[in-house]
Amino acid sequence: MATTAPTGSPLSQPSLTHPPPPRKLTTVKALSESPGLSSIPSIYTFPKQTYHEPVSDTKEPIPTIDFSLLTSSHPGQRSKTIRELGKACRNWGFFMVTNHGVPERMMKAIIEVCREFFELSEEEKRGIGGKHVLDPIRFGTSFNESVDEILCWRDYVKIFQHPEFHSPKKPPSFRFVVVQIYLPSCI
């Protein structure tokens, strides 16, 4: 039995393992829940650089900064904590904060209301905020989707709280929870 080679370039053939980048920008949540997606689209992946080393091979724990030590009355302790913070930023790019004073019930409340926000329909989320980087409420995946060559594999909501308080209208509980956390004297 004779077989024929497919026509066209390999890039023109549909593939479930390497889906084409979305034509219309969509939320990462919607994209990740789409049927048939088996890998992250190339528009969301950075090319591997020779100087990139995997961080997962490290035996070091994620850096933890004790916020209460940054406000310590002992200058030596503050200086040591600031050096640790600088090292965490240089070597890891992130860190965990403890003793920050935010009660656990409030942290759980903000996580839940953010979950409610991200469960809204894509249209509801897109209609919530502006598109400019300085808009007080903004929802998106990357900072500048029209310019960025590679998009971030995340969805975010950014809300300015100072000098003026801002909050999305949906879900309705969002404003209440954020006011409880940031402006307790207002409720």
Side-chain angles (χ1 to χ4, degrees):
M1 175 179 214
T3 60
T4 57
T7 58
S9 74
L11 295 176
S12 66
Q13 301 298 319
S15 168
L16 288 180
T17 57
H18 292 53
R23 289 182 186 207
K24 177 185 166 216
L25 286 174
T26 185
T27 65
V28 170
K29 181 180 182 302
L31 186 60
S32 69
E33 292 172 348
S34 62
L37 183 72
S38 60
S39 67
I40 298 174
S42 61
I43 196 166
Y44 294 99
T45 58
F46 289 91
K48 185 172 173 118
Q49 302 293 325
T50 55
Y51 57 85
H52 285 173
E53 296 178 27
V55 253
S56 61
D57 290 347
T58 184
K59 302 293 185 229
E60 293 179 56
I62 293 173
T64 302
I65 304 300
D66 183 337
F67 187 81
S68 68
L69 298 177
L70 289 171
T71 58
S72 168
S73 60
H74 298 32
Q77 186 60 61
R78 279 196 317 268
S79 294
K80 178 181 181 241
T81 306
I82 289 169
R83 284 192 302 276
E84 290 171 359
L85 179 59
K87 181 181 174 188
C89 291
R90 278 189 310 279
N91 297 346
W92 285 76
F94 60 90
F95 50 89
M96 183 170 53
V97 178
T98 60
N99 298 320
H100 42 67
V102 179
E104 190 168 337
R105 65 178 168 70
M106 287 187 175
M107 290 189 292
K108 287 180 179 179
I110 196 71
I111 288 170
E112 183 54 37
V113 79
C114 285
R115 185 174 287 120
E116 289 175 32
F117 173 83
F118 287 107
E119 290 296 326
L120 293 171
S121 72
E122 197 166 339
E123 294 75 30
E124 287 176 299
K125 286 183 285 203
R126 287 271 175 215
I128 282 184
K131 300 295 177 208
H132 188 272
V133 106
L134 294 177
D135 286 335
I137 301 174
R138 191 162 172 236
F139 168 76
T141 61
S142 291
F143 293 114
N144 193 341
E145 296 165 354
S146 61
V147 175
D148 291 345
E149 290 181 26
I150 299 174
L151 303 178
C152 295
W153 185 251
R154 53 99 193 252
D155 292 330
Y156 73 89
V157 61
K158 177 202 75 163
I159 306 163
F160 285 175
Q161 301 296 311
H162 182 77
E164 182 182 337
F165 177 78
H166 296 276
S167 178
K169 290 182 174 53
K170 293 181 182 181
S173 55
F174 200 102
R175 180 178 182 84
F176 177 75
V177 169
V178 173
V179 165
Q180 273 188 309
I181 292 171
Y182 293 104
L183 304 169
S185 62
C186 294
I187 56 172

